[in-house]
Amino acid sequence: MNKISSGAPETPLIRDLIRERQADLTASERRLTALLLDESLVVGLQSITRLAENAEVSTPTVVRLARKLGFGGFPDFQNAIREEIAARMKEPLAKLDPELGSERRDHIISRFARAMSKNINSTIDRLDTEEFDQVVSLLSDANRKVSVLGGRISRSNAHYFFNHLQIIRPGVTLMDSSPSVWPQALLDMDAQTVLVVFDIRRYEKELDRLAAQVAAQGGTVVLFTDQWGSPIERNAAHCFRTMVEVPSSWDSTLAINFLLEAMVAAIQAACGSTDRLRALEDIIGDSRIFRGGRE
């Protein structure tokens, strides 16, 4: 795995710790981790007895798993779960700075600029360039159908990516945001389908179910998410985590767009031909629909 890395290391997420140590886990421990991941770790906030019962394992198994993941015991493990969930599910109002707008010496523009720079640099630090290149190759393949979909906050990212991809290559669809029409789209999704989905906190269950269905039908799911990782990740063949926190009540998707712009450039280069772009310009030039005024 070829990762760009610089700067101080961050505290690893529990999902990543489980993945790194998966080969060392017993069958019972894997059953427990499967439950934790399926429930987005929330089940781990129960008592050790209740957690063991739900996973159908013994309480010593829970303790062993906690220690294998690098914690001193179950209490430390549970505290880490609590902190991770709190960060992931932080209410928008809880992110508001009480001094926002009153601090003349440190304008919001400057604070945003610093946050954006940090987010982009941290996103680059954790980027797997080999995986990036694999996705570029995947999306450059004109034999594959590509569907793009975003969530409530990340819909603009989906529109941006779709608008560029459809000019570069054929067979690209922007899925309707209403889940009621997704079954019709699923009818045509198969092993030659790539679903590019965007999902940041708070994660949307409908998108998770759709991704699971696409994967079950043999399609390839490419996920763009935040630093904590959407539950869709378990069904994604490729996942890009980006930093989203800024001094605002809303998360920022600028780091996602940074990756998208780089990916659009790489896909265009991989496809090589600009015939579609020239054809589009000709259509715009020839069609009266797009002309103002009269002949």
Side-chain angles (χ1 to χ4, degrees):
M1 189 174 285
N2 179 21
K3 296 203 176 194
I4 302 173
S5 64
S6 64
E10 298 176 12
T11 302
L13 297 177
I14 292 172
R15 181 183 290 111
D16 294 334
L17 292 175
I18 290 173
R19 184 178 294 111
E20 289 172 4
R21 292 160 175 77
Q22 190 70 16
D24 300 326
L25 302 183
T26 66
S28 295
E29 290 163 352
R30 289 178 184 175
R31 188 158 61 246
L32 175 56
T33 58
L35 176 66
L36 288 166
L37 296 180
D38 284 346
E39 298 294 331
S40 298
L41 301 180
V42 175
V43 70
L45 298 180
Q46 302 176 117
S47 69
I48 187 171
T49 303
R50 181 63 62 85
L51 175 59
E53 288 175 354
N54 286 340
E56 298 181 352
V57 300
S58 66
T59 52
T61 296
V62 179
V63 175
R64 281 198 305 272
L65 174 66
R67 288 175 177 164
K68 281 188 179 181
L69 296 180
F71 300 97
F74 181 69
D76 290 342
F77 181 45
Q78 194 171 60
N79 285 339
I81 290 176
R82 188 175 292 110
E83 290 173 4
E84 189 169 315
I85 291 175
R88 191 173 66 214
M89 302 302 292
K90 187 183 294 182
E91 293 280 354
L93 289 179
K95 296 178 63 188
L96 286 173
D97 187 335
E99 297 182 0
L100 193 62
S102 65
E103 199 172 82
R104 301 283 183 179
R105 292 172 300 175
D106 191 9
H107 195 277
I108 183 62
I109 292 293
S110 298
R111 295 170 61 198
F112 250 82
R114 288 197 299 271
M116 290 295 93
S117 177
K118 180 180 178 182
N119 283 353
I120 290 175
N121 286 332
S122 295
T123 297
I124 293 173
D125 284 347
R126 64 174 61 195
L127 178 66
D128 184 338
T129 54
E130 288 183 0
E131 185 166 36
F132 182 93
D133 293 342
Q134 289 168 10
V135 173
V136 167
S137 178
L138 196 66
L139 296 178
S140 303
D141 185 354
N143 293 318
R144 293 183 180 273
K145 299 169 291 185
V146 179
S147 293
V148 184
L149 180 62
R152 183 172 59 91
I153 301 299
S154 55
R155 195 165 297 144
S156 61
N157 301 105
H159 278 262
Y160 175 88
F161 201 40
F162 164 74
N163 286 335
H164 286 77
L165 278 187
Q166 68 167 339
I167 296 173
I168 296 173
R169 49 151 298 163
V172 183
T173 302
L174 178 66
M175 293 185 64
D176 193 287
S177 60
S178 174
S180 64
V181 300
W182 292 351
Q184 296 94 304
L186 282 165
L187 282 173
D188 298 320
M189 292 187 176
D190 53 24
Q192 288 298 102
T193 298
V194 181
L195 173 66
V196 180
V197 62
F198 300 83
D199 189 35
I200 65 174
R201 66 179 185 183
R202 305 178 182 178
Y203 312 117
E204 301 184 34
K205 292 183 179 179
E206 293 83 1
L207 293 179
D208 188 19
R209 296 190 190 104
L210 174 68
Q213 185 63 41
V214 172
Q217 293 179 197
T220 301
V221 177
V222 176
L223 171 66
F224 288 85
T225 185
D226 53 33
Q227 58 258 49
W228 301 282
S230 161
I232 294 173
E233 191 170 349
R234 61 176 171 260
N235 288 303
H238 302 282
C239 177
F240 298 99
R241 292 190 189 177
T242 64
M243 309 300 286
V244 300
E245 287 202 298
V246 289
S248 165
S249 59
W250 306 105
D251 286 329
S252 167
T253 61
L254 185 61
I256 292 178
N257 245 45
F258 165 77
L259 286 185
L260 293 183
E261 292 196 15
M263 189 166 284
V264 164
I267 293 170
Q268 177 68 74
C271 289
S273 175
T274 58
D275 290 347
R276 280 180 65 83
L277 181 57
R278 290 196 188 94
L280 176 63
E281 294 295 336
D282 289 342
I283 291 171
I284 292 174
D286 293 342
S287 176
R288 296 187 182 190
I289 297 173
F290 306 108
R291 287 196 214 159
R294 299 193 175 191
E295 292 279 343

